[in-house]
Amino acid sequence: MASSWPITAVACDVTMDTVGWTGPGAGAERAATVDTWAMRPYPSRPVAPPYPSRPAARPYPSGLRAARPYPGSRRAVAGLAAPAAALLLLLGAACPAVAADGEPDRDFTIEDPRITESSGLAASRLHPGIYWTHNDSDDGPYVFAVDSRTGNTVATVTMRGVGEPRDVEGISIGPDGDVYVGDIGDNLDGTWSHVWIYRFPEPKTLRDTTVTATQYDVQYADGPRNAESLMVHPKTGRVYIASKNEDGGGLYEGPGKLTTGSMNVFRRVGEVPWVTDGAFSPDGRSLALRSYFSARVYAFENGRLGESRAVAAPFQRQAESVTYTADGSALMFGSEGTRSGVVRVEVEGGGKPGGSGGTGGGQEQGKPAGNGSPGQGGSAGQEDDGKGSVGLGAAIIIGVGALWFALRRKRGRGQG
């Protein structure tokens, strides 16, 4: 594919589907198991496992992501689970998260113990420094307003009239000032015949409130698929969805106006790599798309993707969200997890008119503004070209690989 995603952070994808932990304010204890170990060149197809895989432990949806087949016996996975979880926790505790300095739109940590799977971000248009987010999966019809000055939740919106959300994965704010929430996740890639988008006006006052949201039924013209990225164009108001697939996804364009009472069909208009979130720049001339280990900004004109450039995305525990600041001067990268971090990365042009639309000749641009922990969302001293992410990611992969091979060798000796 001509527009394939270059590797700008790490060369391998280590998938750890269900790693849990407990900690201060973490709420109910989460499962501390590893359901999947897949080491593969990113983003190509996974290497075939050395042992027959077993079926998923349980169907989706549930409070955790659906389990996928994994190689090896229960003993091998159990042996890997504890050191892998420890390695992940070590990553999260490598250095303290950046503390709020009282300025908006800077690195911050989401302090609300209810927000354990922040899977989308949207910068408020009415309240400077406020970011809207939500939990992944079937957490309920809740959207949270988080103050970037303190990391504290200043309002919780409960959506009424939308049924029971299934897998909320994206959030965006349109030119009409409405908040759009994408219940578009499908971890089994084609289970749901349709998905939903919810919409409500952004509250003028920041306080806990219940709103009546409009619900739209959505289908893809070429069949069901998984997606985690919902973007509303800030000028036209048209809604776009980026699908998520290991071989590359698609950019889907919705109708000119969403309607209730009938199906809204989204049609594929472009090819994109594996992405976990996306956002339009405030001027609508750029579209940022991120994955677990990298990010790109595409020129966007007349509803179509143009040239792209790499952005030095921070290495995060589970990189799930991105948005532009309200003035377009930076991208804010978020992650799932308890007390997850949000990292500011400056963009080319610094938010000046037209500045965010440049492609920079395909060179990697952007600089993380803070020096926070990678596990909590910081860059850990990452250089402008992302070399910090490469080294950290490579160290994790090497450590996990060594554990896996050591256990296989030990098991082989025991059978000999």
Side-chain angles (χ1 to χ4, degrees):
M1 188 167 63
S3 59
S4 61
W5 192 298
I7 309 303
T8 61
V10 297
C12 292
D13 178 13
V14 181
T15 304
M16 295 175 283
D17 271 316
T18 314
V19 177
W21 59 90
T22 58
E29 183 175 354
R30 295 180 174 273
T33 60
V34 177
D35 282 340
T36 303
W37 284 96
M39 299 188 68
R40 55 185 171 84
Y42 180 81
S44 60
R45 289 186 179 275
V47 178
Y51 299 98
S53 60
R54 66 173 175 85
R58 50 180 168 75
Y60 177 85
S62 69
L64 295 173
R65 292 181 180 276
R68 291 181 287 180
Y70 63 88
S73 65
R74 289 178 179 268
R75 176 181 295 180
V77 173
L80 281 171
L87 187 63
L88 195 63
L89 287 172
L90 181 61
L91 172 65
C95 45
V98 175
D101 58 7
E103 295 294 326
D105 304 319
R106 300 292 169 180
D107 294 10
F108 66 95
T109 298
I110 297 176
E111 301 289 352
D112 193 332
R114 297 172 297 173
I115 306 174
T116 58
E117 295 182 303
S118 175
S119 192
L121 283 174
S124 171
R125 300 296 185 265
L126 294 179
H127 311 286
I130 299 299
Y131 289 84
W132 294 97
T133 189
H134 54 81
N135 277 321
D136 191 352
S137 303
D138 53 350
D139 179 66
Y142 310 114
V143 180
F144 307 93
V146 180
D147 191 339
S148 60
R149 301 168 186 83
T150 64
N152 294 325
T153 298
V154 293
T156 301
V157 172
T158 302
M159 294 182 291
R160 177 173 53 203
V162 300
E164 202 168 310
R166 196 162 47 195
D167 191 359
V168 178
E169 291 285 0
I171 189 168
S172 186
I173 298 180
D176 51 10
D178 284 0
V179 178
Y180 293 70
V181 181
D183 191 356
I184 55 177
D186 185 349
N187 283 351
L188 297 184
D189 290 316
T191 301
W192 314 123
S193 61
H194 66 279
V195 292
W196 300 303
I197 294 174
Y198 313 128
R199 176 181 178 182
F200 62 89
E202 182 177 12
K204 295 180 179 179
T205 302
L206 291 175
R207 58 182 175 80
D208 292 353
T209 186
T210 298
V211 300
T212 299
T214 302
Q215 176 175 301
Y216 302 102
D217 296 332
V218 170
Q219 280 185 338
Y220 302 100
D222 52 357
R225 57 205 59 247
N226 188 25
E228 293 190 2
S229 310
L230 174 81
M231 300 80 65
V232 182
H233 195 276
K235 301 301 181 182
T236 67
R238 191 183 289 267
V239 182
Y240 294 83
I241 294 174
S243 66
K244 177 182 176 183
N245 186 280
E246 64 188 20
D247 294 324
L251 180 67
Y252 289 81
E253 181 182 72
K257 184 178 180 181
L258 298 179
T259 58
T260 58
S262 62
M263 197 63 66
N264 295 274
V265 179
F266 279 59
R267 304 185 184 281
R268 195 174 185 121
V269 295
E271 303 304 310
V272 298
W274 172 299
V275 292
T276 58
D277 201 16
F280 282 109
S281 60
D283 62 11
R285 295 175 57 185
S286 298
L287 175 62
L289 297 174
R290 81 166 304 175
S291 71
Y292 289 121
F293 296 118
S294 57
R296 296 196 72 82
V297 172
Y298 293 80
F300 195 84
E301 186 176 0
N302 298 323
R304 299 297 179 265
L305 297 170
E307 294 183 2
S308 68
R309 59 180 172 85
V311 176
F315 185 86
Q316 295 174 299
R317 180 159 45 195
Q318 189 169 343
E320 290 278 348
S321 58
V322 67
T323 190
Y324 278 88
T325 56
D327 63 3
S329 64
L331 286 162
M332 304 294 284
F333 289 89
S335 172
E336 289 191 3
T338 303
R339 297 194 76 248
S340 60
V342 177
V343 178
R344 176 187 174 101
V345 174
E346 304 295 332
V347 300
E348 185 181 16
K352 297 178 182 178
S356 61
T359 59
Q363 298 299 312
E364 185 173 10
Q365 302 291 333
K367 177 180 180 181
N371 56 359
S373 160
Q376 296 293 349
S379 58
Q382 179 186 30
E383 298 179 10
D384 295 1
D385 62 359
K387 291 179 181 178
S389 290
V390 175
L392 183 59
I396 294 170
I397 292 165
I398 291 170
V400 169
L403 285 170
W404 189 76
F405 284 112
L407 282 168
R408 283 194 62 192
R409 185 176 181 183
K410 181 177 179 181
R411 184 175 56 189
R413 289 176 176 176
Q415 292 174 348

